[in-house]
Amino acid sequence: MSTSASNLLRSSLISLAATSISLVAGFASSIIAARLLGPAGSGKVAYALWVATAAAALADMGLPQTLLRNAGSLSGNGDAWKILVRTALRSFLISVGMITAVILLFTAITYVHRDAWHAWFWLVTGLLFLSYAFHVFSTAVARGRNRFGQTARTTLLGGTMQVPLVFAGAWLLGPTGALIGYVARYLPQALKLRGYIDPASKYSRNALTPEMLRYGRYMWLSDLIEILVLSRIEFLFLGIFLSPTSIGYFAAGLGLAGLIEQAMLQISPALIVNFTEAHARNDQQALDAAYQRVIRIVALIMLPISLGGATIMPELLPLIFGDAFEPAIPAAATLLAFVSLAGMSVIPWGIIGASGRSAVLLRIQIASGISTIVLLTALVPLLGLEGAALARAMIVILTFTLLGLMAWKYVRVAVPIAALAKTMLAALLCASAAGLGVYSLDGLAALVVAIPAGAITYMLAIRFLRLVTPEDVQILMDTAAAKLPRASRPFADRLLNFLAPS
């Protein structure tokens, strides 16, 4: 196995482990909010989270993406990357200060025209913005310097603090209190930023080259469209055409889908760093092989979870969030069925970004953003909650198609269509087996039968359709074996050899 492939999978696995911790904590927090606050209260929390992340995307000006791509390539452990970080931080602090002033002004207006309780809600939302913004900046520096293990540790610490604080805050203070737990989630990595700043390094305007500024500008605009339009803009339309309760319903569906999508978003920094290295070596064969292998492996993981999860949604959603969320079942099933494509979109996105063609990504984001607004305007008044979910599914298909085509056009790497089709067939067989359990039984018993039935069917389909190659097994074992407990390694080895017989 090549060093590049090993580094790619190792970094991806570390990011995936960190993401798993974060997603479990986030999902547990959303369940707590739903159970304690109901659809309307949890919808208010979800709306505040969107506002805070959108404000952070507006404030960062593409600087985290610039650091992610360039901090690792500047003179090893020399001073160039330190100067770059300090220079970027100066611009970042100015922008964050301006957004903070706006939030404080809005909080003051809320206090005057409404009451102190609503003002406190927006003040805590402002703290969440600061915590998240510095978390993103600090994480970009750490991962750009290949410190994936460090970000994994801070993610574990943040997730450990988040769940009990969300519970206590929601119980004692309602939605405002729940947000305190989310503030704590991002603090550990945000506070690490001080350790990445060398006091001896001087600000230098030349540290941010015109190429870096151009890349960062395009990535910033792309992220703004992603956060403001493509991620949660359904909340705005649902609030206008329906009610705050519908936001809570939609947020519950997004919470389940986000468990899958966010895993891939966390893997993407490792993809960008390693794809950038392949570009620097001008190794087209290695780049194409890595691209296709990552897509195949990600599809193998995501498609059965996505389609199988959509199948068991009628029993799963009420069990997790409570019977009050039953109206969200159709929308949640639609969101989960198509989220696998959203997750896989990270891979062509990463390879296009690593090639420096951020303008291409911006054009795709603009096309997807405009289409999203048009579809939501048409479908939400007509179909309500389900219309919002259908609009998102259509945009996911459009975005993945555009990214795949642009990756081929500009980077000359192709999506493995035949392998994806076979994996889709296996995932459909998995979903069908799970469906038999769901429609034959009720409640927890249905899930106890459906999930193992789907898993066994899927493993058999992988074997007989030959979706995993012996080379895949070797790479996975070489990369992950050292991370597994010693007692579980023989089982993992036997399972992989069953899935990919020689």
Side-chain angles (χ1 to χ4, degrees), residues 203-239:
Y203 168 83
S204 173
R205 183 175 299 177
N206 295 328
L208 286 166
T209 66
E211 191 277 333
M212 290 182 190
L213 292 172
R214 183 169 56 253
Y215 175 84
R217 184 166 57 250
Y218 285 135
M219 294 303 293
W220 179 45
L221 293 173
S222 296
D223 286 346
L224 280 179
I225 296 171
E226 174 67 31
I227 297 295
L228 292 174
V229 180
L230 297 178
S231 65
R232 297 292 186 271
I233 198 172
E234 294 94 345
F235 292 170
L236 180 62
F237 282 82
L238 291 171

Side-chain angles (χ1 to χ4, degrees), residues 361-419:
L361 297 177
L362 177 58
R363 290 198 294 270
I364 293 173
Q365 290 289 75
I366 291 173
S368 298
I370 293 172
S371 300
T372 296
I373 293 173
V374 171
L375 286 171
L376 288 172
T377 302
L379 294 178
V380 171
L382 184 64
L383 300 175
L385 191 64
E386 290 75 18
L390 182 60
R392 176 169 285 242
M394 295 169 69
I395 293 302
V396 163
I397 296 171
L398 172 66
T399 302
F400 181 74
T401 302
L402 290 175
L403 286 169
L405 291 173
M406 293 303 102
W408 168 251
K409 179 177 180 180
Y410 292 104
V411 194
R412 309 308 295 176
V413 291
V415 173
I417 300 297

Side-chain angles (χ1 to χ4, degrees), residues 9 52 57 106 118-119 147 253 261 270 301 330 375 384 459 477:
L9 282 173
F106 181 78
H118 286 88
R147 297 177 183 177
E261 185 177 3
I301 297 170
L375 286 171
M459 286 189 288
M477 288 305 297

Side-chain angles (χ1 to χ4, degrees), residues 282-363:
N282 198 27
D283 190 346
Q284 183 64 36
Q285 183 177 359
L287 191 64
D288 189 56
Y291 178 74
Q292 294 203 23
R293 178 175 289 115
V294 171
I295 287 181
R296 287 194 300 103
I297 292 176
V298 168
L300 278 169
I301 297 170
M302 295 189 70
L303 280 172
I305 297 174
S306 178
L307 296 178
T311 302
I312 64 175
M313 191 60 67
E315 302 296 339
L316 183 63
L317 191 72
L319 182 67
I320 294 174
F321 292 101
D323 293 338
F325 285 82
E326 282 189 1
I329 289 174
T334 301
L335 292 171
L336 196 58
F338 289 91
V339 76
S340 56
L341 282 181
M344 285 190 287
S345 294
V346 169
I347 303 166
W349 176 280
I351 206 165
I352 294 171
S355 71
R357 298 184 180 273
S358 51
V360 173
L361 297 177
L362 177 58
R363 290 198 294 270

Side-chain angles (χ1 to χ4, degrees), residues 131-220:
S131 177
Y132 180 73
F134 282 100
H135 163 86
V136 170
F137 191 93
S138 177
T139 300
V141 178
R143 287 175 170 173
R145 298 298 297 170
N146 209 25
R147 297 177 183 177
F148 289 92
Q150 186 178 78
T151 59
R153 289 190 293 272
T154 57
T155 298
L156 173 60
L157 178 59
T160 302
M161 294 191 299
Q162 176 182 351
V163 175
L165 287 175
V166 168
F167 178 83
W171 185 32
L172 296 174
L173 301 172
T176 302
L179 288 178
I180 295 174
Y182 289 94
V183 174
R185 155 67 183 87
Y186 299 110
L187 281 179
Q189 184 60 44
L191 296 176
K192 284 285 184 182
L193 178 59
R194 184 177 180 181
Y196 306 145
I197 307 300
D198 185 356
S201 297
K202 303 296 184 181
Y203 168 83
S204 173
R205 183 175 299 177
N206 295 328
L208 286 166
T209 66
E211 191 277 333
M212 290 182 190
L213 292 172
R214 183 169 56 253
Y215 175 84
R217 184 166 57 250
Y218 285 135
M219 294 303 293
W220 179 45

Side-chain angles (χ1 to χ4, degrees), residues 419-439:
L420 285 184
K422 291 167 66 177
T423 306
M424 176 66 76
L425 174 59
L428 288 171
L429 292 172
C430 165
S432 299
L436 291 176
V438 168
Y439 293 111

